[in-house]
Amino acid sequence: MTACPDKADLLHGLLDNELDAAHARELEAHIAACPACAEVWAEMRALRAALADPGLRPKAPAALRARILADIGAVDPPRTVPPMAGRGSSRLRRWGGAGVGLAVAASLLLMVAPFGEDGKLEGELVAGHVRSLQAQHLLDVPTSDHHTVKPWFAGKLDYSPPALELAAAGFPLQGGRLDYMAGRPVAALVYRHGAHVLNLYVWPGDGPRQPDFQDRDGYILMHWRTGGMTYWAVSDVGEEEMHAFATALTQAVSAQNPSKP
Amino acid sequence: MRGDETADRTRRFQDQVLIHLDAAYGLARYMTRDAVAAEDIVQDAFLRAHRAFDGFRGGDARAWLLTIVRNNVRSWAAARRDRAEQALESLPGQGADVPDADAPTPEDWLAAQEDAADLRALIEGLPPAFRETLLLREMEEMSYRDIAAVTGAPVGTVMSRLARARDLLAAAWRRREFGEKR
């Protein structure tokens, strides 16, 4: 059965409440009198009823909601995010070498407990790292040659980030990309360590001279400064390896700019 | 008082935009037919929405968010075009007024839906332009005008796509209810 040709579109309009009252009444009268249109109408309503089944409406997974909340800095993920498969949120914290120790534990408590602007930046950093792993947006300039990476940033940033090859320390440079953190475009340098990826964000700024570590959403954040730049590294490699990375990078930066400790 | 402003902005974002998370996920899920891709697309859409939130001057936050989700779906589909997924790339662009001429006839479409186990599978099997229009109408109960705004299609195109989508689903439904006769 098919509806009267001049009524077919109107039937959809009636079903969707898109007809004005006069046309709706007129069409209802027609349906009452026309078996063909009445059959189509009944079928449309049956389909509508079938489509109303709540089972057809997928609910967003709780982990997705948690990740979005973390992205927008709405909650403190380490405390409120349920453990996510593969993300290792519940992984036991591993402490770095003797040089890190309890002082870091104390500063960690200080940094995690009050959740303000700092927490927001850290949420952005982790979100940036996770995004870089997910979206095939890891590298804007894929290369292991720092002579290619460094010039690529020129003109895109108002500072010149160091793009240093650290393969000798076990962290080969993969490339770089532009990211947006703390309200400004920043350089993100991508290193590999075995199967792990390490994102290093660099911009002019301050920070502790000795690397600070934080666990966030299963990733480790490491923050320090050298040569007038603030550095944030995000990865899921262990803290000892990250500390070795920071040491190697700091040495490489000092070797480049002996004047600026 | 930057902290207060940030907290207030975050709260407003949650109240106005994040409440549409299920709508965003449902659209992405049906359009990608891929749970993992849908999550990535939705997460990225909220990040974009959050960054652009200062520029959002009231209005329909759901339509605004779903437009972002839809654009992400299109980018995702374009990125995997080489994998020859079923014509997802034919999702028309903003402002496009394509006549949907490539859409299958009900007979061809029905033949291709032999394996669809349920209504959900049938929806997922609809051509993308029809599918998104149907979803916005049936799942989100959006008006023709709002659907037109989200999909960038004229209202007339929205109406014809909706009618075609329903015709296809109804035909599949009939076959299911009454066997192959008809």
Side-chain angles (χ1 to χ4, degrees), chain B residues 37-167:
Chain B
E39 285 199 39
D40 289 351
I41 281 170
V42 169
Q43 186 178 3
D44 184 72
F46 274 97
L47 264 173
R48 288 169 192 268
H50 188 247
R51 282 180 192 158
F53 190 47
D54 288 335
F56 174 68
R57 297 268 165 266
D60 188 343
R62 182 181 56 169
W64 179 64
L65 174 70
L66 293 182
T67 307
I68 300 173
V69 170
R70 179 186 187 272
N71 287 339
N72 278 3
V73 168
R74 291 188 67 230
S75 307
W76 172 86
R80 50 183 282 158
R81 184 168 299 154
D82 52 333
R83 290 174 63 178
E85 258 289 306
Q86 179 195 332
L88 256 169
E89 64 270 26
S90 71
L91 198 53
Q94 292 282 351
D97 184 15
V98 295
D100 297 329
D102 296 340
T105 65
E107 290 73 23
D108 290 348
W109 184 76
L110 275 172
Q113 303 304 316
E114 288 280 354
D115 297 334
D118 54 17
L119 197 45
R120 182 178 187 142
L122 288 172
I123 295 169
E124 289 183 340
L126 286 171
F130 295 177
R131 196 186 328 155
E132 66 173 0
T133 309
L134 183 88
L135 290 168
L136 293 173
R137 176 58 222 160
E138 297 294 344
M139 304 294 165
E140 297 308 319
E141 300 181 12
M142 293 177 104
S143 69
Y144 291 175
R145 214 169 62 175
D146 286 349
I147 298 172
V150 169
T151 60
V155 170
T157 305
V158 169
M159 291 171 66
S160 67
R161 284 177 184 165
L162 197 50
R164 299 280 299 275
R166 284 173 174 155
D167 286 348

Side-chain angles (χ1 to χ4, degrees), chain A residues 16 18 43 48 56 60, chain B residues 22 30 137-138 144 166 174:
Chain A
D16 297 325
E18 297 270 350
E43 196 173 78
R48 161 68 54 83
L56 291 173
Chain B
D22 283 341
Y30 271 111
R137 176 58 222 160
E138 297 294 344
Y144 291 175
R166 284 173 174 155
R174 264 200 303 270

Side-chain angles (χ1 to χ4, degrees), chain A residues 5-28:
Chain A
D6 62 323
K7 299 291 189 290
D9 286 348
L10 288 174
L11 287 172
H12 290 282
L14 181 65
L15 186 72
D16 297 325
N17 290 321
E18 297 270 350
L19 297 187
D20 60 49
H23 281 95
R25 270 201 306 277
E26 196 179 298
L27 188 59
E28 280 163 356

Side-chain angles (χ1 to χ4, degrees), chain A residues 9-257:
Chain A
D9 286 348
L10 288 174
L11 287 172
H12 290 282
L14 181 65
L15 186 72
D16 297 325
N17 290 321
E18 297 270 350
L19 297 187
D20 60 49
H23 281 95
R25 270 201 306 277
E26 196 179 298
L27 188 59
E28 280 163 356
H30 173 80
I31 292 169
C34 170
C37 283
E39 188 182 328
V40 171
W41 177 243
E43 196 173 78
M44 285 168 66
R45 290 177 50 120
L47 181 63
R48 161 68 54 83
L51 288 168
D53 180 353
L56 291 173
R57 286 156 180 74
K59 290 258 178 283
L64 173 61
R65 179 183 297 271
R67 288 209 301 282
I68 292 167
L69 283 169
D71 283 353
I72 65 173
V75 291
D76 187 353
R79 283 182 299 175
T80 56
V81 174
M84 282 177 273
R87 293 245 154 80
S89 295
S90 59
R91 174 166 65 81
L92 277 178
R93 200 175 161 71
R94 289 202 296 122
W95 291 108
V100 189
L102 287 175
V104 171
S107 70
L108 181 82
L109 288 175
L110 283 175
M111 293 186 79
V112 171
F115 193 73
E117 292 285 298
D118 280 349
K120 181 170 180 288
L121 170 62
E122 285 134 26
E124 282 180 30
L125 291 161
V126 172
H129 176 74
V130 173
R131 210 160 54 238
S132 79
L133 303 181
Q134 288 172 341
Q136 277 116 47
H137 185 61
L138 190 56
L139 303 171
D140 286 335
V141 48
T143 176
S144 60
D145 178 3
H146 64 274
H147 295 297
T148 314
V149 177
K150 195 175 170 71
W152 182 85
F153 283 113
K156 298 184 176 69
L157 295 169
D158 55 3
Y159 62 96
S160 178
L164 298 163
E165 179 55 75
L166 299 172
F171 289 90
L173 177 66
Q174 301 297 299
R177 67 172 194 285
L178 209 57
D179 221 318
Y180 198 80
M181 294 291 158
R184 62 171 297 160
V186 304
L189 296 159
V190 182
Y191 291 87
R192 274 199 188 274
H193 185 63
H196 303 276
V197 172
L198 184 148
N199 270 284
L200 178 70
Y201 300 96
V202 193
W203 64 91
D206 210 355
R209 299 197 68 131
Q210 286 300 318
D212 251 354
F213 291 88
Q214 288 182 65
D215 223 345
R216 191 170 176 118
D217 213 2
Y219 295 97
I220 294 179
L221 276 150
M222 179 173 66
H223 179 212
W224 81 106
R225 101 178 120 96
T226 187
M229 297 278 181
T230 189
Y231 290 83
W232 286 90
V234 188
S235 185
D236 58 352
V237 306
E239 270 182 29
E240 285 168 57
E241 290 99 319
M242 288 190 70
H243 198 272
F245 172 83
T247 306
L249 185 78
T250 302
Q251 280 168 1
V253 169
S254 330
Q256 261 199 341
N257 314 312

